[in-house]
Amino acid sequence: MAKKRDRQAVSIRRKSQNVSSDKLEIVGDSSSDRRLIVIFVVFFVISPAISALLYYRYTNSGGFSGASVYERGLVKTDIHHQEILAEHSNVAENTSRHYDYPVLAYITPWNSRGYDIAKRFNSKFTHLSPVWYDLKSQGSRLVLEGRHNADQGWISELRLAGDALVLPRVVVEALPTDLLRKKKLQDKAIDLIVSECKEMGYDGVVLESWSRWAAYGILNDPDLRNSALQFIKQLGNALHSELDSWRSSKQPLQLVYVIGPPHSEKLENQDFGPEDMQSLSGAVDGFSLMTYDYSSPHSPGPNAPMNWIRSALRLVLGTKDNSLLPLEAGKIFLGINFYGYDYRLSGGGGAITGNDYQSVLRKYKPLVQWEEISAEHFILYTDNNQNKHAVFYPSLKSISTRLEAARSLGTGISIWEIGQGLDYFFDLL
């Protein structure tokens, strides 16, 4: 901030015979002072104010602009940290969809920003999945927990703004050895889920259970694996027998099933594979494939390398050539992460959101680098404690590359999760 300067008033007394020439001198000095004052005001007051206003507009407004990120030339490998900070909240005024296939977006209660993003960019999504419910064992019975998370006002606002389906996620935490061996418990679980959809006016559910069943090791048992598939089919058929309560077209309730990517170059017993998909194809409306979290703090690196994504899709669908994918590819929601990881190279680290990433960029001003093989941007920095870090966080280019791949493969996409991303990511959808 410019400092005020003291000025002294000068009294000039002249003899009468010199008045004329003295007046000219005084006028000349006054004009020069005014020019100096104007220059001072322009350069030290107005210019900083305009700069501050523009910075505030681009970094804090979260407003709309006329041009998309493509038109502004921002989707590229060569980017600067200042460009991200200046542009991330500036999104195109046109919020219509650009991606032709289904888009499933997850929203978490612990990141409330996602609720606002879902309303703001409602037209970009075909399916919205708030992470609300858990199916749990309680003694010898089952309970469906999570209604306290449900926000009916938010759902009403969504439906006024667009046509995206609302399918809350239900995680099956009930003991699988009991659930999959007892038909009565399976029937009860299905009744709890379908009844909740009817009472709350949902369009169906996103069910997550396979990874938990795999962790228990029960999928290696052919009988229990068959029971697991039968349970999913029975739930899907029960949902399809019910119609949504708010659409004039009265569409059947939907089931989207979450599946993890294979953990090696070949399918293992606990992996979800093409035979499982074929078994469920008539009862499941879509499969949310979690193609992210490839790396971890124990093995730092890119979050979702492109070659790994393609390999995972081939294994799940049972084909060796991505150009010859079966019709089931149209039911896949290919996972795209809107979060990143900050790794300490000495060991450890954890997930970061868009706000965390901005803080790192502002504080450390790192060089943003592009890794061609994984098709991801990353940064390196050293913190105040002299710990070296590597950060992999999505960029416009990395997301655009995955959208192009998904489009060429004929799949939809699923985003985990929209509250963790930067606003201008949604220009791409």
Side-chain angles (χ1 to χ4, degrees):
M1 181 181 295
K3 295 181 179 179
K4 294 183 179 178
R5 298 177 181 175
D6 295 332
R7 294 183 175 84
Q8 296 179 344
V10 179
S11 174
I12 303 176
R13 297 181 179 177
R14 304 291 182 189
K15 293 181 179 181
S16 58
Q17 64 266 32
N18 293 328
V19 167
S20 177
S21 61
D22 286 343
K23 282 183 179 178
L24 289 174
E25 184 179 344
I26 292 170
V27 169
D29 290 342
S30 176
S31 175
S32 176
D33 286 346
R34 282 199 298 271
R35 283 197 300 271
L36 288 173
I37 291 171
V38 169
I39 292 171
F40 177 84
V41 170
V42 168
F43 283 96
F44 292 97
V45 178
I46 296 178
S47 294
I50 292 174
S51 298
L53 180 63
L54 289 173
Y55 179 83
Y56 179 83
R57 174 191 171 193
Y58 284 115
T59 59
N60 295 290
S61 68
F64 295 100
S65 71
S68 72
V69 290
Y70 287 108
E71 294 167 327
R72 279 147 50 206
L74 301 177
V75 185
K76 56 188 179 181
T77 59
D78 182 17
I79 57 177
H80 193 278
H81 77 273
Q82 289 180 335
E83 186 178 88
I84 298 171
L85 292 173
E87 297 285 353
H88 71 86
S89 63
N90 190 20
V91 299
E93 188 172 2
N94 181 3
T95 59
S96 59
R97 290 187 68 210
H98 306 302
Y99 190 71
D100 305 326
Y101 294 96
V103 177
L104 165 64
Y106 289 99
I107 303 103
T108 56
W110 54 87
N111 191 354
S112 60
R113 182 173 177 271
Y115 291 102
D116 295 328
I117 291 291
K119 291 189 294 184
R120 185 181 177 196
F121 298 102
N122 185 288
S123 59
K124 301 284 188 177
F125 314 116
T126 57
H127 301 68
L128 292 165
S129 184
V131 177
W132 284 345
Y133 289 95
D134 298 292
L135 181 70
K136 295 183 175 181
S137 297
Q138 195 172 85
S140 60
R141 65 190 187 96
L142 295 175
V143 293
L144 184 63
E145 295 183 351
R147 182 178 284 198
H148 65 279
N149 292 317
D151 188 336
Q152 291 288 67
W154 174 72
I155 293 175
S156 297
E157 290 182 69
L158 287 175
R159 288 174 174 166
L160 288 173
D163 298 321
L165 303 177
V166 178
L167 289 76
R169 190 189 70 169
V170 177
V171 175
V172 179
E173 295 187 353
L175 289 172
T177 49
D178 289 341
L179 177 64
L180 300 180
R181 284 195 172 104
K182 298 176 181 178
K183 185 67 166 62
K184 286 185 178 180
L185 279 182
Q186 294 177 34
D187 292 341
K188 180 61 177 177
I190 291 167
D191 180 63
L192 285 170
I193 294 171
V194 174
S195 296
E196 188 73 2
C197 287
K198 292 166 64 177
E199 290 177 26
M200 301 296 287
Y202 301 142
D203 299 298
V205 296
V206 172
L207 186 74
E208 183 172 343
S209 64
W210 197 267
S211 60
R212 282 160 174 76
W213 292 342
Y216 273 92
I218 64 168
L219 298 173
N220 295 324
D221 183 319
D223 292 334
L224 287 177
R225 189 186 192 103
N226 183 63
S227 180
L229 294 170
Q230 291 301 318
F231 169 70
I232 300 166
K233 283 195 282 188
Q234 188 179 345
L235 174 60
N237 292 333
L239 288 168
H240 292 165
S241 68
E242 302 290 342
L243 302 179
D244 62 43
S245 59
W246 67 280
R247 294 177 186 273
S248 58
S249 57
K250 299 297 180 185
Q251 297 296 316
L253 302 185
Q254 293 192 12
L255 173 62
V256 173
Y257 192 62
V258 178
I259 54 176
H263 297 285
S264 62
E265 295 180 359
K266 294 183 179 180
L267 286 176
E268 298 178 1
N269 288 339
Q270 73 271 15
D271 290 331
F272 188 93
E275 292 181 1
D276 303 309
M277 181 170 289
Q278 187 64 37
S279 173
L280 299 177
S281 62
V284 173
D285 300 282
F287 297 90
S288 181
L289 178 59
M290 299 187 292
T291 40
Y292 31 76
D293 287 345
Y294 173 81
S295 301
S296 71
H298 302 292
S299 180
N303 205 327
M306 276 306 306
N307 55 351
W308 172 71
I309 292 175
R310 293 190 179 96
S311 174
L313 187 61
R314 285 196 302 267
L315 288 171
V316 167
L317 294 175
T319 179
K320 295 181 179 180
D321 187 345
N322 279 330
S323 64
L324 298 173
L325 292 178
L327 294 176
E328 285 82 358
K331 284 192 172 184
I332 294 287
F333 293 93
L334 198 66
I336 296 180
N337 57 292
F338 270 21
Y339 64 94
Y341 274 99
D342 185 340
Y343 301 109
R344 287 193 303 274
L345 297 185
S346 59
I352 61 167
T353 67
N355 288 336
D356 302 325
Y357 187 57
Q358 293 173 56
S359 297
V360 170
L361 295 182
R362 288 192 189 97
K363 186 172 184 178
Y364 298 104
K365 301 175 176 55
L367 176 67
V368 184
Q369 303 178 64
W370 176 254
E371 205 288 299
E372 189 68 35
I373 297 175
S374 65
E376 293 190 24
H377 278 103
F378 70 97
I379 61 173
L380 302 173
Y381 74 94
T382 302
D383 65 24
N384 294 337
N385 296 319
Q386 300 305 305
N387 294 309
K388 295 183 178 180
H389 294 245
V391 177
F392 288 82
Y393 185 82
S395 64
L396 291 171
K397 181 61 177 178
S398 71
I399 296 171
S400 173
T401 300
R402 282 148 182 79
L403 288 174
E404 290 170 7
R407 181 181 283 111
S408 68
L409 298 169
T411 73
I413 62 166
S414 57
I415 302 168
W416 186 275
E417 53 94 5
I418 57 175
Q420 298 177 338
L422 300 176
D423 286 0
Y424 68 175
F425 288 173
F426 298 97
D427 268 8
L428 301 171
L429 303 179

Short mmCIF file of all heavy atoms in Angstrom, two decimals, residues 281-336:
data_model
loop_
_atom_site.label_atom_id
_atom_site.label_comp_id
_atom_site.label_asym_id
_atom_site.label_seq_id
_atom_site.Cartn_x
_atom_site.Cartn_y
_atom_site.Cartn_z
N SER A 281 -25.83 -59.05 -16.30
CA SER A 281 -26.15 -58.05 -17.33
C SER A 281 -27.63 -57.69 -17.40
O SER A 281 -27.99 -56.54 -17.65
CB SER A 281 -25.67 -58.53 -18.70
OG SER A 281 -26.33 -59.74 -19.06
N GLY A 282 -28.53 -58.66 -17.17
CA GLY A 282 -29.95 -58.35 -17.27
C GLY A 282 -30.51 -57.64 -16.06
O GLY A 282 -31.56 -56.99 -16.16
N ALA A 283 -29.83 -57.73 -14.91
CA ALA A 283 -30.36 -57.18 -13.66
C ALA A 283 -29.68 -55.88 -13.24
O ALA A 283 -30.22 -55.14 -12.41
CB ALA A 283 -30.22 -58.21 -12.54
N VAL A 284 -28.51 -55.60 -13.80
CA VAL A 284 -27.75 -54.41 -13.41
C VAL A 284 -27.73 -53.42 -14.57
O VAL A 284 -27.48 -53.79 -15.71
CB VAL A 284 -26.31 -54.80 -13.01
CG1 VAL A 284 -25.46 -53.56 -12.77
CG2 VAL A 284 -26.33 -55.67 -11.76
N ASP A 285 -28.01 -52.16 -14.26
CA ASP A 285 -28.09 -51.12 -15.29
C ASP A 285 -26.74 -50.50 -15.62
O ASP A 285 -26.58 -49.89 -16.68
CB ASP A 285 -29.06 -50.03 -14.84
CG ASP A 285 -30.46 -50.57 -14.59
OD1 ASP A 285 -31.19 -50.80 -15.58
OD2 ASP A 285 -30.82 -50.79 -13.41
N GLY A 286 -25.78 -50.63 -14.72
CA GLY A 286 -24.45 -50.08 -14.97
C GLY A 286 -23.46 -50.58 -13.96
O GLY A 286 -23.83 -51.01 -12.86
N PHE A 287 -22.17 -50.52 -14.34
CA PHE A 287 -21.09 -50.97 -13.45
C PHE A 287 -20.11 -49.82 -13.26
O PHE A 287 -19.52 -49.32 -14.23
CB PHE A 287 -20.37 -52.18 -14.05
CG PHE A 287 -21.24 -53.39 -14.21
CD1 PHE A 287 -21.95 -53.60 -15.39
CD2 PHE A 287 -21.35 -54.32 -13.17
CE1 PHE A 287 -22.76 -54.72 -15.54
CE2 PHE A 287 -22.16 -55.44 -13.32
CZ PHE A 287 -22.87 -55.64 -14.49
N SER A 288 -19.94 -49.39 -12.02
CA SER A 288 -19.02 -48.30 -11.69
C SER A 288 -17.64 -48.90 -11.43
O SER A 288 -17.39 -49.48 -10.37
CB SER A 288 -19.54 -47.54 -10.46
OG SER A 288 -18.68 -46.48 -10.12
N LEU A 289 -16.75 -48.77 -12.41
CA LEU A 289 -15.41 -49.37 -12.36
C LEU A 289 -14.43 -48.38 -11.74
O LEU A 289 -14.18 -47.30 -12.30
CB LEU A 289 -14.97 -49.77 -13.77
CG LEU A 289 -13.58 -50.38 -13.92
CD1 LEU A 289 -13.44 -51.65 -13.09
CD2 LEU A 289 -13.29 -50.67 -15.40
N MET A 290 -13.84 -48.75 -10.60
CA MET A 290 -13.00 -47.83 -9.83
C MET A 290 -11.55 -47.80 -10.36
O MET A 290 -10.63 -48.29 -9.71
CB MET A 290 -13.02 -48.21 -8.36
CG MET A 290 -14.40 -48.14 -7.73
SD MET A 290 -14.39 -48.39 -5.93
CE MET A 290 -13.90 -50.12 -5.84
N THR A 291 -11.38 -47.19 -11.50
CA THR A 291 -10.04 -47.12 -12.10
C THR A 291 -9.28 -45.90 -11.58
O THR A 291 -8.99 -44.95 -12.31
CB THR A 291 -10.15 -47.08 -13.64
OG1 THR A 291 -11.26 -46.25 -14.02
CG2 THR A 291 -10.34 -48.46 -14.21
N TYR A 292 -8.97 -45.94 -10.30
CA TYR A 292 -8.12 -44.94 -9.65
C TYR A 292 -7.47 -45.61 -8.44
O TYR A 292 -7.70 -46.78 -8.16
CB TYR A 292 -8.91 -43.69 -9.23
CG TYR A 292 -10.35 -43.91 -8.85
CD1 TYR A 292 -10.69 -44.47 -7.61
CD2 TYR A 292 -11.39 -43.55 -9.70
CE1 TYR A 292 -12.02 -44.67 -7.25
CE2 TYR A 292 -12.71 -43.75 -9.35
CZ TYR A 292 -13.02 -44.31 -8.12
OH TYR A 292 -14.33 -44.51 -7.77
N ASP A 293 -6.63 -44.88 -7.73
CA ASP A 293 -5.85 -45.42 -6.60
C ASP A 293 -4.88 -46.52 -7.04
O ASP A 293 -4.68 -47.50 -6.34
CB ASP A 293 -6.77 -45.95 -5.50
CG ASP A 293 -7.45 -44.81 -4.73
OD1 ASP A 293 -6.99 -43.67 -4.86
OD2 ASP A 293 -8.42 -45.10 -4.01
N TYR A 294 -4.28 -46.34 -8.21
CA TYR A 294 -3.28 -47.29 -8.70
C TYR A 294 -2.05 -47.28 -7.78
O TYR A 294 -1.46 -48.31 -7.49
CB TYR A 294 -2.88 -46.92 -10.13
CG TYR A 294 -1.73 -47.70 -10.69
CD1 TYR A 294 -1.92 -48.97 -11.22
CD2 TYR A 294 -0.44 -47.16 -10.71
CE1 TYR A 294 -0.86 -49.70 -11.75
CE2 TYR A 294 0.62 -47.88 -11.25
CZ TYR A 294 0.41 -49.15 -11.75
OH TYR A 294 1.47 -49.84 -12.28
N SER A 295 -1.67 -46.08 -7.34
CA SER A 295 -0.50 -45.94 -6.46
C SER A 295 -0.96 -45.73 -5.02
O SER A 295 -2.15 -45.58 -4.74
CB SER A 295 0.36 -44.76 -6.92
OG SER A 295 0.80 -44.95 -8.25
N SER A 296 0.01 -45.72 -4.11
CA SER A 296 -0.28 -45.57 -2.69
C SER A 296 0.93 -44.96 -2.01
O SER A 296 2.01 -44.88 -2.60
CB SER A 296 -0.60 -46.93 -2.06
OG SER A 296 0.57 -47.72 -1.98
N PRO A 297 0.78 -44.51 -0.74
CA PRO A 297 1.94 -43.97 -0.03
C PRO A 297 3.10 -44.95 0.06
O PRO A 297 4.26 -44.55 0.18
CB PRO A 297 1.38 -43.65 1.36
CG PRO A 297 -0.07 -43.35 1.11
CD PRO A 297 -0.47 -44.31 0.02
N HIS A 298 2.81 -46.26 0.00
CA HIS A 298 3.88 -47.26 0.03
C HIS A 298 4.57 -47.39 -1.32
O HIS A 298 5.70 -47.88 -1.40
CB HIS A 298 3.31 -48.61 0.44
CG HIS A 298 2.63 -48.60 1.78
ND1 HIS A 298 3.32 -48.41 2.96
CD2 HIS A 298 1.33 -48.72 2.13
CE1 HIS A 298 2.49 -48.43 3.98
NE2 HIS A 298 1.27 -48.62 3.50
N SER A 299 3.88 -46.96 -2.37
CA SER A 299 4.44 -47.02 -3.72
C SER A 299 3.97 -45.80 -4.49
O SER A 299 3.04 -45.87 -5.30
CB SER A 299 4.00 -48.32 -4.42
OG SER A 299 4.52 -48.39 -5.73
N PRO A 300 4.58 -44.63 -4.23
CA PRO A 300 4.11 -43.37 -4.83
C PRO A 300 4.17 -43.39 -6.35
O PRO A 300 5.03 -44.03 -6.95
CB PRO A 300 5.08 -42.33 -4.26
CG PRO A 300 5.66 -42.96 -3.04
CD PRO A 300 5.73 -44.42 -3.35
N GLY A 301 3.23 -42.68 -6.95
CA GLY A 301 3.20 -42.57 -8.40
C GLY A 301 1.88 -42.04 -8.89
O GLY A 301 1.07 -41.52 -8.11
N PRO A 302 1.61 -42.14 -10.17
CA PRO A 302 0.37 -41.61 -10.76
C PRO A 302 -0.86 -42.32 -10.20
O PRO A 302 -0.80 -43.48 -9.79
CB PRO A 302 0.54 -41.88 -12.26
CG PRO A 302 1.57 -42.95 -12.35
CD PRO A 302 2.49 -42.75 -11.19
N ASN A 303 -1.97 -41.59 -10.19
CA ASN A 303 -3.20 -42.12 -9.60
C ASN A 303 -3.89 -43.12 -10.50
O ASN A 303 -4.48 -44.09 -10.02
CB ASN A 303 -4.15 -40.96 -9.28
CG ASN A 303 -5.13 -41.31 -8.18
OD1 ASN A 303 -5.55 -42.44 -8.04
ND2 ASN A 303 -5.49 -40.32 -7.38
N ALA A 304 -3.82 -42.92 -11.81
CA ALA A 304 -4.53 -43.81 -12.73
C ALA A 304 -3.86 -43.77 -14.11
O ALA A 304 -4.35 -43.10 -15.02
CB ALA A 304 -5.99 -43.40 -12.84
N PRO A 305 -2.75 -44.47 -14.28
CA PRO A 305 -2.06 -44.46 -15.58
C PRO A 305 -2.99 -44.95 -16.70
O PRO A 305 -3.75 -45.89 -16.52
CB PRO A 305 -0.90 -45.44 -15.37
CG PRO A 305 -0.72 -45.52 -13.89
CD PRO A 305 -2.07 -45.32 -13.30
N MET A 306 -2.87 -44.33 -17.86
CA MET A 306 -3.77 -44.65 -18.96
C MET A 306 -3.65 -46.10 -19.42
O MET A 306 -4.65 -46.75 -19.72
CB MET A 306 -3.52 -43.72 -20.15
CG MET A 306 -4.22 -42.37 -20.08
SD MET A 306 -6.02 -42.49 -19.82
CE MET A 306 -6.50 -43.57 -21.16
N ASN A 307 -2.44 -46.64 -19.48
CA ASN A 307 -2.29 -48.03 -19.93
C ASN A 307 -2.93 -49.00 -18.94
O ASN A 307 -3.48 -50.03 -19.32
CB ASN A 307 -0.81 -48.37 -20.16
CG ASN A 307 0.05 -48.11 -18.94
OD1 ASN A 307 -0.39 -47.53 -17.96
ND2 ASN A 307 1.30 -48.54 -19.01
N TRP A 308 -2.90 -48.65 -17.64
CA TRP A 308 -3.54 -49.49 -16.62
C TRP A 308 -5.06 -49.42 -16.75
O TRP A 308 -5.75 -50.43 -16.60
CB TRP A 308 -3.09 -49.02 -15.24
CG TRP A 308 -3.82 -49.69 -14.10
CD1 TRP A 308 -3.71 -50.99 -13.70
CD2 TRP A 308 -4.77 -49.08 -13.22
NE1 TRP A 308 -4.53 -51.22 -12.61
CE2 TRP A 308 -5.18 -50.07 -12.30
CE3 TRP A 308 -5.29 -47.79 -13.12
CZ2 TRP A 308 -6.12 -49.81 -11.30
CZ3 TRP A 308 -6.21 -47.52 -12.12
CH2 TRP A 308 -6.61 -48.52 -11.22
N ILE A 309 -5.59 -48.25 -17.03
CA ILE A 309 -7.05 -48.10 -17.21
C ILE A 309 -7.53 -48.98 -18.36
O ILE A 309 -8.52 -49.72 -18.23
CB ILE A 309 -7.41 -46.62 -17.48
CG1 ILE A 309 -7.17 -45.77 -16.23
CG2 ILE A 309 -8.86 -46.50 -17.93
CD1 ILE A 309 -7.39 -44.29 -16.44
N ARG A 310 -6.82 -48.92 -19.48
CA ARG A 310 -7.23 -49.74 -20.64
C ARG A 310 -7.10 -51.22 -20.34
O ARG A 310 -7.96 -52.03 -20.73
CB ARG A 310 -6.38 -49.36 -21.86
CG ARG A 310 -6.62 -47.94 -22.38
CD ARG A 310 -5.94 -47.73 -23.72
NE ARG A 310 -6.18 -46.40 -24.25
CZ ARG A 310 -5.36 -45.37 -24.11
NH1 ARG A 310 -4.23 -45.52 -23.44
NH2 ARG A 310 -5.65 -44.19 -24.62
N SER A 311 -6.03 -51.60 -19.64
CA SER A 311 -5.84 -53.00 -19.28
C SER A 311 -6.94 -53.50 -18.36
O SER A 311 -7.47 -54.60 -18.55
CB SER A 311 -4.47 -53.18 -18.61
OG SER A 311 -4.31 -54.49 -18.13
N ALA A 312 -7.31 -52.69 -17.37
CA ALA A 312 -8.37 -53.08 -16.44
C ALA A 312 -9.70 -53.28 -17.18
O ALA A 312 -10.44 -54.24 -16.92
CB ALA A 312 -8.52 -52.01 -15.36
N LEU A 313 -9.98 -52.40 -18.12
CA LEU A 313 -11.24 -52.52 -18.86
C LEU A 313 -11.24 -53.79 -19.72
O LEU A 313 -12.25 -54.50 -19.80
CB LEU A 313 -11.44 -51.28 -19.74
CG LEU A 313 -12.78 -51.16 -20.45
CD1 LEU A 313 -13.93 -51.11 -19.46
CD2 LEU A 313 -12.80 -49.93 -21.36
N ARG A 314 -10.12 -54.08 -20.37
CA ARG A 314 -10.03 -55.29 -21.18
C ARG A 314 -10.25 -56.55 -20.34
O ARG A 314 -10.98 -57.47 -20.74
CB ARG A 314 -8.67 -55.38 -21.87
CG ARG A 314 -8.48 -54.45 -23.05
CD ARG A 314 -7.29 -54.86 -23.90
NE ARG A 314 -6.05 -54.88 -23.13
CZ ARG A 314 -5.22 -53.85 -23.04
NH1 ARG A 314 -5.51 -52.72 -23.65
NH2 ARG A 314 -4.10 -53.95 -22.34
N LEU A 315 -9.64 -56.59 -19.16
CA LEU A 315 -9.77 -57.77 -18.30
C LEU A 315 -11.20 -57.96 -17.80
O LEU A 315 -11.72 -59.07 -17.78
CB LEU A 315 -8.81 -57.65 -17.11
CG LEU A 315 -7.33 -57.82 -17.42
CD1 LEU A 315 -6.49 -57.48 -16.20
CD2 LEU A 315 -7.03 -59.25 -17.86
N VAL A 316 -11.83 -56.86 -17.40
CA VAL A 316 -13.20 -56.95 -16.89
C VAL A 316 -14.17 -57.40 -17.98
O VAL A 316 -15.10 -58.18 -17.73
CB VAL A 316 -13.64 -55.59 -16.29
CG1 VAL A 316 -15.14 -55.56 -16.05
CG2 VAL A 316 -12.89 -55.32 -14.99
N LEU A 317 -13.92 -56.92 -19.20
CA LEU A 317 -14.83 -57.26 -20.30
C LEU A 317 -14.42 -58.52 -21.05
O LEU A 317 -15.19 -59.02 -21.88
CB LEU A 317 -14.91 -56.09 -21.28
CG LEU A 317 -15.55 -54.81 -20.72
CD1 LEU A 317 -15.46 -53.68 -21.74
CD2 LEU A 317 -17.00 -55.04 -20.34
N GLY A 318 -13.23 -59.04 -20.78
CA GLY A 318 -12.81 -60.28 -21.40
C GLY A 318 -12.42 -60.17 -22.85
O GLY A 318 -12.75 -61.03 -23.67
N THR A 319 -11.73 -59.10 -23.20
CA THR A 319 -11.28 -58.92 -24.58
C THR A 319 -9.82 -58.51 -24.58
O THR A 319 -9.34 -57.89 -23.64
CB THR A 319 -12.13 -57.86 -25.32
OG1 THR A 319 -11.64 -57.70 -26.65
CG2 THR A 319 -12.06 -56.52 -24.61
N LYS A 320 -9.09 -58.85 -25.64
CA LYS A 320 -7.68 -58.51 -25.74
C LYS A 320 -7.45 -57.23 -26.54
O LYS A 320 -6.34 -56.72 -26.59
CB LYS A 320 -6.91 -59.66 -26.39
CG LYS A 320 -6.90 -60.93 -25.56
CD LYS A 320 -6.10 -62.02 -26.25
CE LYS A 320 -6.08 -63.30 -25.41
NZ LYS A 320 -5.30 -64.38 -26.06
N ASP A 321 -8.52 -56.73 -27.15
CA ASP A 321 -8.36 -55.58 -28.05
C ASP A 321 -9.42 -54.54 -27.69
O ASP A 321 -10.62 -54.82 -27.75
CB ASP A 321 -8.54 -56.03 -29.51
CG ASP A 321 -8.21 -54.92 -30.49
OD1 ASP A 321 -8.14 -53.74 -30.07
OD2 ASP A 321 -8.04 -55.22 -31.69
N ASN A 322 -8.98 -53.35 -27.31
CA ASN A 322 -9.93 -52.29 -26.95
C ASN A 322 -10.82 -51.86 -28.11
O ASN A 322 -11.87 -51.27 -27.91
CB ASN A 322 -9.18 -51.07 -26.41
CG ASN A 322 -8.78 -51.24 -24.96
OD1 ASN A 322 -9.46 -51.93 -24.21
ND2 ASN A 322 -7.68 -50.61 -24.57
N SER A 323 -10.37 -52.14 -29.34
CA SER A 323 -11.19 -51.74 -30.50
C SER A 323 -12.32 -52.72 -30.76
O SER A 323 -13.18 -52.47 -31.59
CB SER A 323 -10.30 -51.63 -31.75
OG SER A 323 -9.77 -52.91 -32.09
N LEU A 324 -12.31 -53.86 -30.03
CA LEU A 324 -13.35 -54.87 -30.24
C LEU A 324 -14.10 -55.15 -28.94
O LEU A 324 -14.38 -56.29 -28.59
CB LEU A 324 -12.71 -56.17 -30.77
CG LEU A 324 -12.00 -56.07 -32.11
CD1 LEU A 324 -11.28 -57.38 -32.42
CD2 LEU A 324 -13.00 -55.73 -33.22
N LEU A 325 -14.43 -54.08 -28.22
CA LEU A 325 -15.11 -54.26 -26.94
C LEU A 325 -16.55 -54.71 -27.16
O LEU A 325 -17.22 -54.27 -28.10
CB LEU A 325 -15.09 -52.95 -26.16
CG LEU A 325 -13.72 -52.49 -25.66
CD1 LEU A 325 -13.83 -51.15 -24.95
CD2 LEU A 325 -13.10 -53.52 -24.74
N PRO A 326 -17.06 -55.59 -26.30
CA PRO A 326 -18.44 -56.06 -26.43
C PRO A 326 -19.45 -54.98 -26.06
O PRO A 326 -19.09 -53.90 -25.59
CB PRO A 326 -18.50 -57.22 -25.43
CG PRO A 326 -17.46 -56.90 -24.42
CD PRO A 326 -16.36 -56.20 -25.16
N LEU A 327 -20.73 -55.28 -26.29
CA LEU A 327 -21.78 -54.31 -26.00
C LEU A 327 -21.83 -53.93 -24.53
O LEU A 327 -22.29 -52.84 -24.18
CB LEU A 327 -23.14 -54.88 -26.43
CG LEU A 327 -23.32 -55.11 -27.94
CD1 LEU A 327 -24.67 -55.76 -28.20
CD2 LEU A 327 -23.22 -53.79 -28.69
N GLU A 328 -21.33 -54.83 -23.64
CA GLU A 328 -21.35 -54.53 -22.22
C GLU A 328 -20.53 -53.29 -21.86
O GLU A 328 -20.69 -52.71 -20.79
CB GLU A 328 -20.82 -55.73 -21.42
CG GLU A 328 -21.79 -56.89 -21.29
CD GLU A 328 -21.79 -57.79 -22.52
OE1 GLU A 328 -21.06 -57.48 -23.49
OE2 GLU A 328 -22.51 -58.79 -22.52
N ALA A 329 -19.63 -52.87 -22.77
CA ALA A 329 -18.83 -51.66 -22.50
C ALA A 329 -19.74 -50.46 -22.27
O ALA A 329 -19.40 -49.55 -21.51
CB ALA A 329 -17.88 -51.39 -23.65
N GLY A 330 -20.89 -50.44 -22.91
CA GLY A 330 -21.83 -49.34 -22.75
C GLY A 330 -22.42 -49.24 -21.37
O GLY A 330 -22.99 -48.21 -21.00
N LYS A 331 -22.27 -50.30 -20.57
CA LYS A 331 -22.78 -50.28 -19.19
C LYS A 331 -21.71 -49.88 -18.17
O LYS A 331 -22.00 -49.75 -16.99
CB LYS A 331 -23.33 -51.66 -18.81
CG LYS A 331 -24.68 -51.98 -19.41
CD LYS A 331 -25.29 -53.21 -18.76
CE LYS A 331 -26.72 -53.42 -19.23
NZ LYS A 331 -27.36 -54.57 -18.51
N ILE A 332 -20.49 -49.68 -18.65
CA ILE A 332 -19.40 -49.34 -17.75
C ILE A 332 -19.37 -47.83 -17.49
O ILE A 332 -19.46 -47.03 -18.42
CB ILE A 332 -18.05 -49.78 -18.34
CG1 ILE A 332 -17.97 -51.30 -18.44
CG2 ILE A 332 -16.89 -49.24 -17.50
CD1 ILE A 332 -17.80 -52.01 -17.13
N PHE A 333 -19.24 -47.46 -16.21
CA PHE A 333 -18.91 -46.08 -15.83
C PHE A 333 -17.43 -46.09 -15.46
O PHE A 333 -17.05 -46.51 -14.36
CB PHE A 333 -19.74 -45.62 -14.62
CG PHE A 333 -21.22 -45.48 -14.87
CD1 PHE A 333 -22.09 -46.52 -14.62
CD2 PHE A 333 -21.74 -44.28 -15.35
CE1 PHE A 333 -23.45 -46.39 -14.82
CE2 PHE A 333 -23.10 -44.13 -15.56
CZ PHE A 333 -23.96 -45.19 -15.30
N LEU A 334 -16.58 -45.66 -16.38
CA LEU A 334 -15.13 -45.69 -16.17
C LEU A 334 -14.74 -44.65 -15.13
O LEU A 334 -15.05 -43.46 -15.27
CB LEU A 334 -14.42 -45.42 -17.50
CG LEU A 334 -12.95 -45.81 -17.59
CD1 LEU A 334 -12.79 -47.32 -17.51
CD2 LEU A 334 -12.36 -45.29 -18.90
N GLY A 335 -14.04 -45.08 -14.07
CA GLY A 335 -13.73 -44.19 -12.95
C GLY A 335 -12.70 -43.13 -13.28
O GLY A 335 -11.65 -43.42 -13.86
N ILE A 336 -12.98 -41.88 -12.90
CA ILE A 336 -12.05 -40.77 -13.03
C ILE A 336 -11.97 -40.07 -11.68
O ILE A 336 -12.99 -39.73 -11.09
CB ILE A 336 -12.50 -39.77 -14.12
CG1 ILE A 336 -12.50 -40.43 -15.50
CG2 ILE A 336 -11.61 -38.53 -14.12
CD1 ILE A 336 -12.94 -39.52 -16.63
#
